[in-house]
Amino acid sequence: MVRDTAVLLDEKRVFEPKNEILERAHVKNWEEEIEKGKNLEKYWSEKAEQFEWFQKWDKVLDDDNKPFYKWFTGGKINLAYNAVDRWIETEKRNQVAILYINERGEEKKITYYELYIQVNKLANALKNLGVRKGDTVSTYMPMCPELLIALLACTKIGAIHSVVYSGLSVGAFVDRINDAKAKVLFTADGTYRRGKIIDLKAIADEAILQCPTIETIVVVNHTGIPIQISELSGREIFYERLVDGEPAYCEPEWMDAEDPLFILYTSGSTGKPKGVLHTTAGYMVGVATTLRNIFDIHDNDLWWCTGDIGWITGHSYVIYGPLLLGTTTVVYEGAPDYPDPGVWWKIVEKYGVTKFYTAPTAIRHLMRFGTRYTDLYNLESLRILGTVGEPINPEAWMWYYQNVGKEKCPIMDTWWQTETGMHLISPLPVTPLKPGSATLPFPGIDADVVDEEGNPVPMGKGGYLVIKKPWPAMFRTLYKDEDRFLDVYWKEYSGCIYKAGDMVRKDEDGYFWIQGRSDDVLKIAGHRIGSAEVESAFVGHPAVAEAAVIGKSDPIKGEVIKAFIILREGYELKTQLIEDLKNHVRYELGPVAVLGEIVQVDKLPKTRSGKIMRRILRAQEMGEDLGDTSTLEE
Ligand code: ATP
Ligand code: MG
């Protein structure tokens, strides 16, 4: 067994909540809320009361057959009804539900009432196509309103949706559709990407030749480029034609709390993507509660999560969370730096975005431009910021805090996964913040750090992140692969403790510092170091924009660190800079951080959701097979 290093990250800054934040906050006392969360069933049932149930649950948590936990059993509910129908009898009826914006600056606004009508029509049309409760519907769509409408229509009639990210190639697409046995596929003529239109339909045409379960392909006329309804398939129909003339009301299907809601494949940072299955009621309660309390959602907030709907962040916090709370959700189709790196800030200014949620990869990218673009626009409307997807380096956190949030917006660093469905470790707006730490488990979440034997590690030591009690939005299985479900997540510790696969360290205040994935951990001279810690040290140097590190075997030292770095504008990797970097990292991390090579690169291998894929770097280094690359960025 390897020894742990001493506390590596030495980040000591603490940011207390500002008065304006405290005054508005739904949760004013985070310690009290955490106390309340200790009574799991009471805590989550109170949250569940806020929705409209067709029939109330008998049992909040059924843990008879661990780890196949069930939530709100006996309850009957429809998630789309709670996200849309519920609002049309209220003052929100004419409020914008979806604010769609694209890189060309075009916008579309859809009110709750309009959304209601459109979801109903499409739901009826799907029924006419023969889609029934429990059938699977897939999408390969841009970030556009019809994607949200399609998913909500599925949910309304009890069909299971399975979104395929629109940037995936034919092979990855085919695997996912066939795995999920989808009956209907939604696609579009194209999607806007950096001034071009990507012909999604052509990719879909090629893919579906290998997808025998697809009976109908629904094509959304999104960009207006001329397309042919392919004669090859004979299974296609335009979206507009499909919904035309359909009745404007559709009775929601009364779903059992535990009926499947969707299948979604993970981003594949560590290996072959897993088909994660989520169910209805627990997911709904978990997602809405976390969004409400972590981002303190109030009426007249303008919520913008930049995550793509092709990933879990988009499912939970572009569609379901915001609509369940009756807020306006921004749906943006485009890149963070096109037509220029000020495009996001321009949107914040124009529409008055109040809550903004993005990924560290985007922040690190935009931070290269200093304050040039953040200073160009008025960002005063922002109240709370957030990040998700990877550990955020303290350096990037500070840039975001100072230049985007103008030192008045707390940053919610939310740790969670496709599997968890909802945020599990995150500050609330009133939690004192430490840059680079996701702070504390959300109320009701029992997270801990353990060693290989499952024993809790002392404060300050690193170990494996585990969740010791169930939570409502947890995934229920891996689709058609129960063995892998048990094997990967539950087998290790007693069968009922969830192993997240990430390394973490808890500090003296109980704050969690994610150190990276356990697969990416470096074992240097008998010490265990998280990749995130070494990379943070690199990014803390003014010359470095991004870094990825791997362990490389060394005949003498066992393993040394090899670093791949992207330099900021104006720097060159000369001998002096290499020396500087080595000294800097050694100074930050201590003598343990034995650096082998440092190489300069223009790009790092990333998943299409923006996460660094260190396994690709390792495989390349060893001259091994790259493994599953279906989600690797071009
Ligand atoms: P795969 O499981 O196929 O390798 P993936 O883990 O990248 O893919 P996701 O479920 O999208 O797929 O990502 C979850 C992971 O992202 C977490 O396990 C963690 O490693 C990382 N992550 C998410 N949020 C944070 C955060 N706030 N801080 C640190 N890491 C985070
Ligand atoms: Mg994962």
Side-chain angles (χ1 to χ4, degrees):
M1 212 188 99
V2 287
R3 278 176 294 138
D4 285 296
T5 52
V7 174
L8 290 173
L9 273 179
D10 204 21
E11 178 57 63
K12 290 278 185 263
R13 288 168 284 196
V14 178
F15 295 83
E16 297 289 339
K18 301 266 190 288
N19 276 336
E20 309 87 84
I21 296 289
L22 256 168
E23 276 159 21
R24 285 178 67 95
H26 288 306
V27 176
K28 300 211 188 303
N29 185 330
W30 58 275
E31 285 158 306
E32 220 174 83
E33 189 74 7
I34 286 174
E35 268 315 298
K36 281 192 208 157
K38 289 186 176 156
N39 188 340
L40 270 197
E41 301 205 17
K42 181 160 183 282
Y43 186 76
W44 291 115
S45 66
E46 276 170 18
K47 309 297 176 198
E49 296 284 358
Q50 290 152 26
F51 297 94
E52 281 187 33
W53 296 76
F54 300 131
Q55 185 180 301
K56 221 181 135 176
W57 59 90
D58 307 319
K59 208 166 178 191
V60 181
L61 170 64
D62 172 352
D63 59 1
D64 287 349
N65 182 20
K66 298 176 180 124
F68 298 97
Y69 297 98
K70 292 182 184 156
W71 286 85
F72 306 109
T73 46
K76 288 207 179 283
I77 196 155
N78 185 287
L79 207 163
Y81 178 88
N82 275 276
V84 183
D85 302 32
R86 185 161 57 117
W87 304 122
I88 64 157
E89 300 297 336
T90 72
E91 72 290 348
K92 291 185 194 288
R93 173 192 166 95
N94 301 319
Q95 182 197 307
V96 175
I98 299 171
L99 170 54
Y100 162 82
I101 308 162
N102 66 26
E103 61 176 33
R104 305 171 155 206
E106 295 159 348
E107 60 168 52
K108 254 186 229 167
K109 292 179 176 171
I110 299 179
T111 65
Y112 272 97
Y113 188 76
E114 290 166 336
L115 182 61
Y116 166 77
I117 297 293
Q118 296 196 39
V119 169
N120 280 338
K121 282 180 175 270
L122 183 59
N124 285 324
L126 283 174
K127 283 190 184 169
N128 286 343
L129 290 178
V131 178
R132 297 284 170 266
K133 179 179 170 184
D135 286 343
T136 308
V137 171
S138 281
T139 67
Y140 186 69
M141 295 266 284
M143 286 286 280
C144 67
E146 289 82 0
L147 173 54
L148 287 85
I149 295 165
L151 302 186
L152 289 162
C154 288
T155 302
K156 190 140 198 189
I157 64 171
I160 304 167
H161 58 72
S162 178
V163 176
V164 179
Y165 173 59
S166 65
L168 295 189
S169 59
V170 171
F173 177 150
V174 169
D175 287 349
R176 284 164 179 70
I177 303 254
N178 287 343
D179 191 59
K181 294 210 167 27
K183 217 167 164 178
V184 173
L185 172 72
F186 281 81
T187 189
D189 52 358
T191 180
Y192 301 109
R193 211 168 284 161
R194 296 177 182 280
K196 293 201 202 98
I197 293 177
I198 310 287
D199 189 347
L200 284 184
K201 176 68 171 39
I203 304 172
D205 279 348
E206 193 185 333
I208 54 137
L209 293 175
Q210 301 167 61
C211 299
T213 58
I214 298 282
E215 291 168 11
T216 312
I217 300 141
V218 182
V219 184
V220 174
N221 196 345
H222 174 59
T223 60
I225 52 169
I227 51 161
Q228 292 291 317
I229 284 287
S230 144
E231 293 188 13
L232 253 184
S233 71
R235 326 175 235 182
E236 298 175 355
I237 183 162
F238 273 114
Y239 180 95
E240 273 168 45
R241 273 265 305 283
L242 179 71
V243 294
D244 191 35
E246 284 296 336
Y249 179 71
C250 172
E251 181 76 19
E253 188 77 33
W254 288 28
M255 303 298 284
D256 282 337
E258 282 294 339
D259 275 335
L261 177 66
F262 65 81
I263 303 165
L264 181 64
Y265 295 83
T266 57
S267 37
S269 310
T270 51
K272 189 177 182 301
K274 307 172 262 292
V276 167
L277 181 85
H278 281 283
T279 60
T280 305
Y283 176 81
M284 177 189 77
V285 173
V287 162
T289 305
T290 45
L291 180 62
R292 177 180 183 273
N293 290 350
I294 293 171
F295 286 94
D296 202 39
I297 301 296
H298 291 268
D299 286 346
N300 72 37
D301 257 324
L302 183 55
W303 165 253
W304 183 11
C305 165
T306 68
D308 195 283
I309 291 172
W311 311 113
I312 191 67
T313 303
H315 279 59
S316 299
Y317 300 112
V318 176
I319 309 180
Y320 289 120
L323 298 180
L324 284 165
L325 298 177
T327 194
T328 303
T329 184
V330 173
V331 173
Y332 176 66
E333 183 184 7
D337 57 355
Y338 184 86
D340 65 55
V343 58
W344 281 3
W345 317 132
K346 188 175 176 179
I347 292 172
V348 168
E349 177 186 90
K350 177 168 179 193
Y351 297 96
V353 173
T354 57
K355 310 285 163 74
F356 180 75
Y357 187 35
T358 194
T361 180
I363 297 167
R364 286 192 299 261
H365 180 64
L366 293 174
M367 162 182 171
R368 288 188 220 177
F369 307 98
T371 58
R372 190 155 43 157
Y373 293 100
T374 47
D375 283 353
L376 265 184
Y377 299 98
N378 181 343
L379 306 180
E380 284 301 310
S381 61
L382 290 169
R383 293 201 198 105
I384 296 178
L385 304 175
T387 78
V388 57
E390 286 182 296
I392 178 162
N393 330 85
E395 201 62 23
W397 196 100
M398 287 306 299
W399 180 86
Y400 194 30
Y401 185 72
Q402 287 169 337
N403 301 304
V404 180
K406 313 294 179 197
E407 303 191 12
K408 65 181 180 52
C409 304
I411 297 176
M412 304 296 106
D413 175 358
T414 60
W415 178 88
W416 60 298
Q417 308 174 302
T418 312
E419 295 88 337
T420 71
M422 63 188 239
H423 304 136
L424 291 196
I425 302 178
S426 168
L428 298 172
V430 296
T431 311
L433 304 173
K434 303 185 188 184
S437 168
T439 75
L440 299 162
F442 189 78
I445 303 303
D446 188 1
D448 207 353
V449 191
V450 300
D451 64 17
E452 265 137 23
E453 280 77 47
N455 306 309
V457 302
M459 288 288 187
K461 294 269 180 180
Y464 299 92
L465 174 57
V466 294
I467 314 293
K468 298 200 289 195
K469 295 213 183 86
W471 64 98
M474 66 199 302
F475 68 143
R476 301 307 198 253
T477 191
L478 292 181
Y479 190 60
K480 293 192 306 198
D481 204 350
E482 203 169 286
D483 292 344
R484 194 174 178 203
F485 171 73
L486 295 170
D487 237 45
V488 175
Y489 307 99
W490 301 100
K491 194 188 63 187
E492 190 123 349
Y493 309 113
S494 77
C496 58
I497 291 177
Y498 175 76
K499 181 184 159 199
D502 284 354
M503 302 294 292
V504 66
R505 177 174 65 75
K506 233 190 325 183
D507 71 13
E508 57 287 356
D509 298 320
Y511 275 42
F512 285 70
W513 299 78
I514 308 293
Q515 299 174 299
R517 296 151 188 287
S518 34
D519 299 20
D520 290 338
V521 149
L522 309 162
K523 290 178 184 136
I524 312 292
H527 293 275
R528 192 165 51 191
I529 312 175
S531 51
E533 301 193 80
V534 186
E535 289 160 9
S536 271
F538 270 105
V539 176
H541 188 284
V544 181
E546 275 203 81
V549 298
I550 59 169
K552 195 182 169 187
S553 55
D554 179 276
I556 298 157
K557 301 189 178 94
E559 200 171 57
V560 291
I561 300 170
K562 174 157 183 178
F564 300 82
I565 59 171
I566 301 179
L567 290 178
R568 293 207 201 199
E569 271 174 9
Y571 288 93
E572 265 184 85
L573 196 66
K574 297 242 174 80
T575 322
Q576 185 56 47
L577 181 55
I578 295 182
E579 268 322 293
D580 275 5
L581 286 171
K582 287 190 172 175
N583 288 334
H584 170 81
V585 172
R586 208 170 302 133
Y587 174 78
E588 293 282 313
L589 301 179
V592 174
V594 188
L595 277 177
E597 247 174 299
I598 302 180
V599 295
Q600 185 182 351
V601 293
D602 298 332
K603 263 186 147 184
L604 291 168
K606 287 187 181 169
T607 62
R608 289 174 191 265
S609 53
K611 298 165 199 265
I612 300 172
M613 291 169 97
R614 295 172 196 81
R615 68 179 167 93
I616 300 282
L617 294 171
R618 272 195 302 270
Q620 257 168 357
E621 200 58 34
M622 314 289 198
E624 286 168 358
D625 178 58
L626 298 186
D628 185 291
T629 53
S630 60
T631 59
L632 179 66
E633 233 177 26
E634 283 148 61

